[in-house]
């Protein structure tokens, strides 16, 4: 839960502000715009936990050399459909976008492009990379391993992160027809941090204390405790799957070797990403694909509903609806985020828009 402020900030203004802040932090023009787009896009969709609230920490990590503004990204291995890239501590937003572009180019030629990225950093909302493939008419999958916060079922040691899985299917316009974008924890680490800050209890069954006993106290969960995977052993199994592709295969950190974004300031994160693009046209005609995709979408949307339930949603629809609303009426930033951004902008000599001052 977050405190929502009024009035809202227009997305263009917010994007401009974040672009200028990250430019001052040393990122080049196009990279600064890519980072700002990625963060503002998350806020537009209501994914506050992966939006512009990350800017101060990104700038801090940049100053410490834990994120490089002008990384020397290198291809470590390459064949027609596959590449492995060392991101050289690039911002994950940049590393994953470039890696997906490479996957798309390979898929265009061979039908499949798979790119593994090592030595990277936090990439925020994973939908961004899967959708890059969807906009190119391809099915996209983006995986990343994250700081270890989840035990195995019944365990009392954090083994794996809430390793996000993001999957997008091309639609007719810019928006994907389907965009599943999820972390594997019952809740995100950021929402536990937020609950702790605000003195709120966690829902039952989402976290444990450091001895593995269930807790609703966010402070206990953060003090060496654990987040629980959704779906018990099944969610844990998916986290293992992501760890194999984004950690083992890439050469990045595995489990506890992946540095924590908000705790470890003495070592690079060394997270890994795995980006996959499938060019539909190599599998079947585009007409066949469209018609079969549209059948699936309408099969779900037209399904009977239980009394009182709203319409059936496809993965991604809820976020696209929020995006439309926020493009029209602005982003209701949490007060604290607006205040943090205003302070940081002033420190860096960046003009603060009045709407952000009003929201702070
Ligand atoms: N970079 C990282 O290390 C990291 C780690 C974890 C999560 N994340 C990101 O956090 C974000 C939030 O993840 P989350 O797990 O809290 O997502 P969530 O639980 O809010 O949503 C998960 C998915 O369910 C879909 N959905 C929601 N309600 C639905 C409904 N009624 N019917 C059908 N589908 C529905 C959503 O569209 C979404 O695709 C994602 O962008 C993810 O990429 C990033």
């Amino acid at each position: 839960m977050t405190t929502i402020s009024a009035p809202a900030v227009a997305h263009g203004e917010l994007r401009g502000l974040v672009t200028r802040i990250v430019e001052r932090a040393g990122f080049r023009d196009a990279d600064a715009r890519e980072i700002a787009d990625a963060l503002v896009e998350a806020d537009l969709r209501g994914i506050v936990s992966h939006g512009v609230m990350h800017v101060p920490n990104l700038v801090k990590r940049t100053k410490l050399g834990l994120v490089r503004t002008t990384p020397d990204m290198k291809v470590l291995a390459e064949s027609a459909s596959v590449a492995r890239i060392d991101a050289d501590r690039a911002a994950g937003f940049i590393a994953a976008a470039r890696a997906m572009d490479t996957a798309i180019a390979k898929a265009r030629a061979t039908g499949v492009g798979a790119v593994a990225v090592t030595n990277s950093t936090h990439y925020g909302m994973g939908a961004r990379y899967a959708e890059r493939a969807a906009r190119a008419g391809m099915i996209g999958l983006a995986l990343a391993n994250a700081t270890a916060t989840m035990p195995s079922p019944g365990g009392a040691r954090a083994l794996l992160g809430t390793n996000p899985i993001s999957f997008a299917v091309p639609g007719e316009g810019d928006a994907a027809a389907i965009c599943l974008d999820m972390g594997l924890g019952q809740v995100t680490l950021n929402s536990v941090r937020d609950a702790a800050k605000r003195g709120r209890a966690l829902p039952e069954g989402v976290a444990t204390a450091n001895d593995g006993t269930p807790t609703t106290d966010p402070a206990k969960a953060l003090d060496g405790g654990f987040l629980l995977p959704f779906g018990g052993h099944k969610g844990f199994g998916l986290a293992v799957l992501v760890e194999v592709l984004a950690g083992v295969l890439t050469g990045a950190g595995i489990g506890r070797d992946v540095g924590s974004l908000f705790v470890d300031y003495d070592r690079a994160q060394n997270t890994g990403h795995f980006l996959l693009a499938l060019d539909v046209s190599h599998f079947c005609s585009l007409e066949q694909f469209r018609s079969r995709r549209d059948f699936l979408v309408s099969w779900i949307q037209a399904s009977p509903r239980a009394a009182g339930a709203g319409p059936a949603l496809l993965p991604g629809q809820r976020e696209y609806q929020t995006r439309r609303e926020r493009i029209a009426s602005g982003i209701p930033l949490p007060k604290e985020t607006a205040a943090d951004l205003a302070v940081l902008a002033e420190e860096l000599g960046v003009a603060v828009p009045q709407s952000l001052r009003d929201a702070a």
Side-chain angles (χ1 to χ4, degrees), residues 2-172:
T2 45
T3 305
I4 300 303
S5 68
V9 182
H11 68 98
E13 249 179 353
L14 190 58
R15 189 176 289 110
L17 175 73
V18 173
T19 305
R20 287 188 289 280
I21 289 176
V22 296
E23 274 173 359
R24 289 286 163 93
F27 288 97
R28 290 173 289 214
D29 300 359
D31 288 352
R33 281 197 301 276
E34 180 65 42
I35 292 170
D37 275 354
L39 293 171
V40 173
E41 192 58 41
D43 281 303
L44 269 175
R45 296 173 188 209
I47 304 177
V48 179
S49 58
H50 289 77
V52 299
M53 63 158 276
H54 282 272
V55 173
N57 196 47
L58 174 65
V59 171
K60 176 175 173 178
R61 296 186 75 83
T62 300
K63 277 190 194 148
L64 292 169
L66 301 173
V67 175
R68 295 204 170 112
T69 53
T70 53
D72 182 16
M73 289 175 54
K74 286 197 178 74
V75 176
L76 302 174
E78 188 162 29
S79 61
S81 303
V82 165
R84 188 164 79 90
I85 294 173
D86 181 334
D88 191 32
R89 299 188 189 179
F93 313 100
I94 306 295
R98 288 201 196 149
M100 184 52 102
D101 287 346
T102 303
I104 290 168
K106 288 180 178 297
R108 187 97 59 216
T110 67
V112 181
V115 177
V117 182
T118 183
N119 197 11
S120 192
T121 62
H122 184 244
Y123 80 11
M125 177 184 75
R128 183 138 181 104
Y129 317 104
E131 283 176 333
R132 225 172 161 89
R135 275 197 299 277
M138 300 185 189
I139 294 175
L141 178 73
L143 309 174
N145 65 346
T147 311
T149 46
M150 303 196 306
S152 66
R157 169 176 285 175
L159 300 176
L160 302 175
T162 56
N163 296 355
I165 297 182
S166 311
F167 171 79
V169 175
E172 292 309 316

Side-chain angles (χ1 to χ4, degrees), residues 47 49-50 122-127 144-146 162-164 166 179-185 188 313-319:
I47 304 177
S49 58
H50 289 77
H122 184 244
Y123 80 11
M125 177 184 75
N145 65 346
T162 56
N163 296 355
S166 311
C179 182
L180 174 69
D181 183 27
M182 60 182 209
L184 299 180
T188 61
L313 299 176
L314 270 300
Q317 252 185 297
R318 186 189 60 172
E319 288 77 15

Side-chain angles (χ1 to χ4, degrees), residues 111-349:
V112 181
V115 177
V117 182
T118 183
N119 197 11
S120 192
T121 62
H122 184 244
Y123 80 11
M125 177 184 75
R128 183 138 181 104
Y129 317 104
E131 283 176 333
R132 225 172 161 89
R135 275 197 299 277
M138 300 185 189
I139 294 175
L141 178 73
L143 309 174
N145 65 346
T147 311
T149 46
M150 303 196 306
S152 66
R157 169 176 285 175
L159 300 176
L160 302 175
T162 56
N163 296 355
I165 297 182
S166 311
F167 171 79
V169 175
E172 292 309 316
D174 249 8
I178 298 167
C179 182
L180 174 69
D181 183 27
M182 60 182 209
L184 299 180
Q186 300 259 22
V187 293
T188 61
L189 182 56
N190 282 331
S191 63
V192 178
R193 288 163 46 82
D194 193 56
K197 246 188 246 168
R198 298 174 201 290
R200 296 205 178 113
L202 297 171
E204 300 273 350
V206 305
T208 74
N210 58 15
D211 58 359
T213 54
T215 185
T216 56
D217 180 350
K220 280 192 182 163
L222 291 172
D223 183 21
F226 318 114
L227 299 185
L228 294 175
F230 88 93
H233 61 283
K234 298 186 186 187
F236 181 74
L238 286 175
V240 173
L241 179 156
V242 174
E243 199 72 25
V244 170
L245 294 175
V248 173
L249 188 66
T250 59
I254 296 169
R256 282 193 161 175
D257 295 340
V258 178
S260 167
L261 198 54
F262 290 101
V263 175
D264 298 321
Y265 292 101
D266 56 349
R267 63 179 170 122
Q269 252 196 309
N270 196 13
T271 179
H273 315 310
F274 181 81
L275 293 312
L276 178 75
L278 300 176
D279 188 336
V280 171
S281 67
H282 286 250
F283 292 78
C284 59
S285 77
L286 282 179
E287 291 68 41
Q288 277 173 327
F289 176 76
R290 282 190 186 123
S291 133
R292 293 174 63 74
R293 173 202 64 198
D294 291 348
F295 170 77
L296 172 66
V297 168
S298 46
W299 167 249
I300 293 169
Q301 286 179 331
S303 59
R305 307 288 293 157
L313 299 176
L314 270 300
Q317 252 185 297
R318 186 189 60 172
E319 288 77 15
Y320 290 150
Q321 177 59 32
T322 304
R323 184 177 196 277
R324 282 191 289 275
E325 289 161 10
R326 291 186 172 194
I327 283 188
S329 56
I331 297 172
L333 277 186
K335 258 186 174 320
E336 202 174 326
T337 302
D340 287 350
L341 281 179
V343 169
L344 181 62
E346 270 162 11
E347 273 171 23
L348 295 171

